[in-house]
Amino acid sequence: MPDTVGTAPQEHGRFDFSAITSRPKLEWPDGARVALWVIPNIEHFLFDRPSSSIIQSTTSFVPDVLNYAWRDYGVRVGIWRMMEIMEKYGVKGTVALNSDACVHYPAVIQAGQSLDWEWMGHGTNNSSVITGIPEDEERRIVKEVVSTITQATGTAPRGWLSPALTETHQTPDILAENGIRYVANWTNDDQPYEMRVRSGSMLSMPYSVEMNDYTAFLEQGLSGRDFGDAICDQFDQLYADGASTGRVMSLCLHPFLIGQPHRAKHFERALKHITAHDAVWLAKGGEIADWYTSTRGR
């Protein structure tokens, strides 16, 4: 695998092709068909640059107060609405956490701790992506993120989702060096799988760019009702598939989006639908990784 930025391999070399129909049966605890993990993205945005936007006409302004404040709704209001809904249905979050959020929003961290949520690394902030940087700089960033989250929560993060799912050619190797056990950047499967890294081990954990409120609302223009329906449809198909081999369903959410009042009701409707079924494992990312590893004898 390449060691320098700018070397672009034609093949990634991280894993071999594997058809899900050819794998040994994956069995979840208590005969569950689907392992559901819900990923709230708790993020911090810098004030001096554009980012996720609902109105494009102001994105060139510095500061862009309109869009900055719209995003800021997530940590001030949206996440609290999400927490209430998730707790009602017994769903624990696996948070994709910007380390800057530990500094700026300690009340959110404290609340997540009280709910027994899991924390995984999500870069420093959501205004800075992991691409086009030297390996030493990326290693410094990952180490700092892991250290900050560990200090804030008392537990080292075992999972990682890069801001905007960005990577360099070295990212999985650097994550493994820093104790990360699973990464959610590769959105190509319904089951975990092993990735090759320089040292140690790494699981790819199923994450979705479709069961994702950012894609649904900002890219596809779906309504809250549409997205709620899509979540239910996704679950129903995975539940049927899970009769033959276990599946993972990720639900990838941003508090400034799904936490809006007109959308949150449909998030609740979807969780009510999912949790009304037997044979569903309401899991956290680390629990899924541990179970998969133990059943595969690694």
Side-chain angles (χ1 to χ4, degrees):
M1 296 175 191
D3 293 324
T4 59
V5 172
T7 303
Q10 292 185 326
E11 304 294 340
H12 55 75
R14 292 291 180 185
F15 49 83
D16 297 325
F17 170 75
S18 171
I20 197 168
T21 53
S22 301
R23 303 172 197 167
K25 182 177 181 179
L26 178 58
E27 297 183 351
W28 295 129
D30 300 320
R33 295 184 180 192
V34 175
L36 175 74
W37 72 310
V38 177
I39 305 99
N41 285 242
I42 297 179
E43 299 163 334
H44 179 68
F45 298 88
L46 301 181
F47 194 48
D48 66 343
R49 64 201 68 184
S51 190
S52 307
S53 302
I54 190 169
I55 301 294
Q56 297 302 312
S57 60
T58 63
T59 55
S60 62
F61 300 165
V62 180
D64 177 8
V65 171
L66 187 158
N67 287 304
Y68 180 89
W70 169 71
R71 294 188 298 267
D72 202 35
Y73 183 91
V75 289
R76 296 171 65 88
V77 182
I79 187 60
W80 309 100
R81 186 171 287 124
M82 287 182 65
M83 286 177 171
E84 183 177 349
I85 292 170
M86 291 169 65
E87 185 178 18
K88 180 177 179 179
Y89 293 96
V91 177
K92 298 183 185 300
T94 302
V95 174
L97 181 65
N98 288 160
S99 59
D100 279 357
C102 297
V103 177
H104 294 280
Y105 319 119
V108 176
I109 308 302
Q110 183 178 358
Q113 290 283 84
S114 70
L115 293 170
D116 190 30
W117 283 14
E118 181 178 341
W119 311 95
M120 63 177 177
H122 190 41
T124 305
N125 54 66
N126 243 53
S127 301
S128 307
V129 294
I130 307 295
T131 186
I133 57 176
E135 184 170 348
D136 288 348
E137 175 66 8
E138 183 176 7
R139 183 171 285 107
R140 183 196 64 76
I141 291 170
V142 172
K143 183 176 181 179
E144 183 177 285
V145 169
V146 169
S147 175
T148 300
I149 292 176
T150 301
Q151 292 176 15
T153 68
T155 305
R158 300 175 59 206
W160 183 275
L161 176 75
S162 296
L165 284 67
T166 50
E167 290 193 359
T168 70
H169 297 306
Q170 292 77 39
T171 298
D173 303 315
I174 294 171
L175 294 176
E177 291 170 10
N178 284 273
I180 299 299
R181 180 67 185 94
Y182 67 88
V183 63
N185 293 335
W186 294 71
T187 61
N188 57 356
D189 217 302
D190 288 341
Q191 295 178 341
Y193 60 85
E194 293 281 350
M195 302 184 80
R196 299 187 186 100
V197 287
R198 290 175 188 160
S199 61
S201 60
M202 181 64 65
L203 277 181
S204 175
M205 186 71 73
Y207 188 84
S208 179
V209 289
E210 296 211 26
M211 289 300 101
N212 190 310
D213 57 359
Y214 187 97
T215 305
F217 301 137
L218 298 186
E219 301 292 338
Q220 298 176 331
L222 300 186
S223 68
R225 183 179 300 277
D226 291 338
F227 187 51
D229 290 346
I231 295 170
C232 294
D233 289 344
Q234 179 92 345
F235 170 77
D236 289 346
Q237 183 62 57
L238 289 174
Y239 192 80
D241 295 341
S244 58
T245 186
R247 306 286 173 137
V248 175
M249 178 172 173
S250 61
L251 191 49
C252 315
L253 305 171
H254 300 75
F256 62 89
L257 291 169
I258 201 68
Q260 295 285 344
H262 65 103
R263 298 186 181 118
K265 60 184 290 184
H266 298 291
F267 173 46
E268 178 168 2
R269 172 170 62 89
L271 289 189
K272 182 177 181 180
H273 174 76
I274 292 169
T275 57
H277 290 71
D278 295 327
V280 177
W281 181 25
L282 306 179
K284 295 183 286 187
E287 293 170 335
I288 295 172
D290 286 344
W291 182 269
Y292 180 86
T293 300
S294 68
T295 58
R296 290 298 183 257
R298 296 179 183 274

